[in-house]
Amino acid sequence: MASICTVDLGLRSYPIDIGAGLLSAIGPRCIDEGLTGRALVVMDEGVSDVYGPTVRQSLDAAGIKVLDIVIPAGEQSKSHTQLIRIYDAALEAGLERSSFLLALGGGVVGDLTGYAAATYLRGVPFVQVPTTLLAMVDSAVGGKTGINMPQGKNLIGAFHQPALVIADTPCLRSLPVREFSAGLAEVVKYGMIADPALWDVLEQVSLEELLADDDLLETIVLRSCEIKADVVQRDEREGGLRAILNFGHTLGHAIEQVAGYGEWLHGEAISIGMIYAARLSEEVQGFPPAETERLIQLLDHLKLPTEFPDLSWDGLMKAMKLDKKRKAGAIGFVLANHPGDVAFGCPVPDEVLAKVWERTVS
Ligand code: GLY
């Protein structure tokens, strides 16, 4: 039995279906949601052979005419080149406003397809069918879409909410375990920002047990989506509160950039970023050190990195400052008072940032 979480945004509200075996029912679900025109399915090449036929067949059987396009795997596909390929495919097929796009794959395909949908004919509906944990619990939900530029990630984009999200949890078993672990970093983050009970759940199972248990997968994906939906409902366009979704991301993004994109998976960099943010929180907010130790143990248990990388502090600092400047200098750190209770926009003096880094690496 699948769970449904609703993102309640008035006319732009949408359901997130979570459970096992949902791919084969995609066609009728699209029809239920009023998506009855033609569909352009945008697939990551890593999943096109495995899941493409099931999705296609279900849409066909529901009377939805389907065409598809395969996108090369990897972050470099969040590009103008791939965007233009999608527009070309849609134009050649004569897709109209009554048509929709469907993203099948991880965050790259989701963000790219979402942006294509936001801009094609000034906006058509799209469906997110995330197949990675990171996409199921984060990028497929909340309407952030976009592509990268040589100058940086996600510099071109739009808020465009999907019409429907379908998370078929058994897809997670076809991922390398490293990818699954990286997605769990975001689940740990939800525990920190809103619901420490998620930590209790993750502490009690091994990675293998979790991956094999569809009910448990459904529970953690559902709870993560509920937390994200709640934040997005209250601050869709990141005027303030939505920043809490970036706990651990300030240093995490800097690590990804300084190490060179592709070296660290996003969730791996966030693992280190969360430990750093917890240490800063001890310093600035009185966060209990025992909770930082618990966080480290949990990340280690989930096979996420906990040792700080040998990267230049100056380089990381520069990357963090540039990131903040891009956001008009207004975004401070997201820091925790306790697990489940965080504050955003917290200013931290540069000396404290350096002191905590040095203390943590040594
Ligand atoms: N991934 C952070 C957000 O959606 O706001």
Side-chain angles (χ1 to χ4, degrees):
M1 184 63 192
S3 300
I4 300 187
C5 163
T6 302
V7 183
D8 193 351
L9 291 167
L11 290 175
R12 285 169 292 102
S13 298
Y14 54 95
I16 306 168
D17 293 5
I18 304 157
L22 302 183
L23 287 189
S24 52
I26 277 186
R29 271 307 275 136
C30 288
I31 302 277
D32 286 349
E33 293 303 316
L35 299 160
T36 52
R38 298 163 76 194
L40 174 61
V41 177
V42 184
M43 301 185 267
D44 180 296
E45 69 177 345
V47 300
S48 56
D49 287 348
V50 201
Y51 305 122
T54 310
V55 169
R56 236 197 123 98
Q57 210 173 21
S58 178
L59 291 166
D60 274 340
I64 295 170
K65 266 189 109 183
V66 189
L67 37 132
D68 57 47
I69 177 169
V70 177
I71 300 293
E75 185 72 28
Q76 66 280 6
S77 283
K78 266 176 75 172
S79 66
H80 252 111
T81 313
Q82 297 305 326
L83 184 66
I84 300 293
R85 281 188 65 223
I86 298 175
Y87 292 150
D88 278 341
L91 288 166
E92 256 168 52
L95 286 198
E96 297 166 351
R97 280 242 175 91
S98 57
S99 314
F100 66 98
L101 270 53
L102 184 149
L104 177 64
V108 167
V109 157
D111 286 7
L112 174 71
T113 307
Y115 187 58
T119 46
Y120 181 71
L121 301 181
R122 299 201 179 92
V124 292
F126 83 115
V127 177
Q128 287 271 24
V129 186
T131 56
T132 67
L133 184 58
L134 187 84
M136 287 183 191
V137 299
D138 188 13
S139 60
V141 176
K144 281 189 180 174
T145 72
I147 59 169
N148 301 331
M149 290 290 285
Q151 292 89 334
K153 285 176 75 169
N154 298 320
L155 293 181
I156 308 294
F159 285 98
H160 187 57
Q161 299 293 344
L164 168 67
V165 181
I166 296 181
D168 190 344
T169 49
C171 293
L172 299 173
R173 289 197 273 278
S174 63
L175 287 176
V177 176
R178 184 179 169 202
E179 283 265 358
F180 181 65
S181 282
L184 286 172
E186 297 287 354
V187 181
V188 172
K189 176 198 79 180
Y190 289 120
M192 178 64 104
I193 65 172
D195 185 4
L198 271 170
W199 287 12
D200 300 335
V201 173
L202 294 175
E203 279 166 345
Q204 283 160 26
V205 282
S206 68
L207 267 188
E208 294 70 26
E209 285 165 342
L210 178 55
L211 253 179
D213 187 333
D214 280 326
D215 289 342
L216 208 46
L217 287 173
E218 190 173 316
T219 302
I220 63 160
V221 174
L222 174 65
R223 188 66 196 115
S224 300
C225 288
E226 283 172 348
I227 294 169
K228 180 147 187 186
D230 179 56
V231 173
V232 169
Q233 282 158 197
R234 289 193 277 155
D235 179 22
E236 185 183 4
R237 293 196 165 228
E238 203 163 331
L241 178 77
R242 187 164 176 164
I244 68 171
L245 298 173
N246 286 334
F247 179 81
H249 284 54
T250 308
L251 181 70
H253 285 153
I255 290 174
E256 285 180 278
Q257 192 192 319
V258 173
Y261 288 112
E263 276 301 304
W264 289 68
L265 295 179
H266 176 69
E268 293 171 341
I270 297 317
S271 176
I272 300 295
M274 287 194 289
I275 298 170
Y276 179 70
R279 293 279 184 227
L280 283 181
S281 304
E282 288 175 18
E283 199 71 28
V284 181
Q285 307 280 116
F287 184 74
E291 295 294 348
T292 307
E293 295 312 319
R294 184 180 173 204
L295 170 69
I296 295 170
Q297 296 289 320
L298 176 59
L299 295 167
D300 187 53
H301 172 68
L302 300 174
K303 300 198 169 52
L304 283 159
T306 56
E307 296 285 326
F308 277 47
D310 186 13
L311 295 172
S312 126
W313 174 247
D314 288 348
L316 292 169
M317 199 56 189
K318 213 169 127 197
M320 286 196 285
K321 285 201 160 151
L322 203 81
D323 197 33
K324 277 194 219 163
K325 210 165 119 209
R326 282 211 188 99
K327 292 168 185 160
I331 308 272
F333 276 81
V334 182
L335 298 180
N337 302 312
H338 287 281
D341 174 15
V342 292
F344 60 90
C346 307
V348 184
D350 286 4
E351 319 76 81
V352 178
L353 295 178
K355 184 177 85 179
V356 171
W357 172 262
E358 274 153 29
R359 211 180 57 205
T360 315
V361 281
S362 55

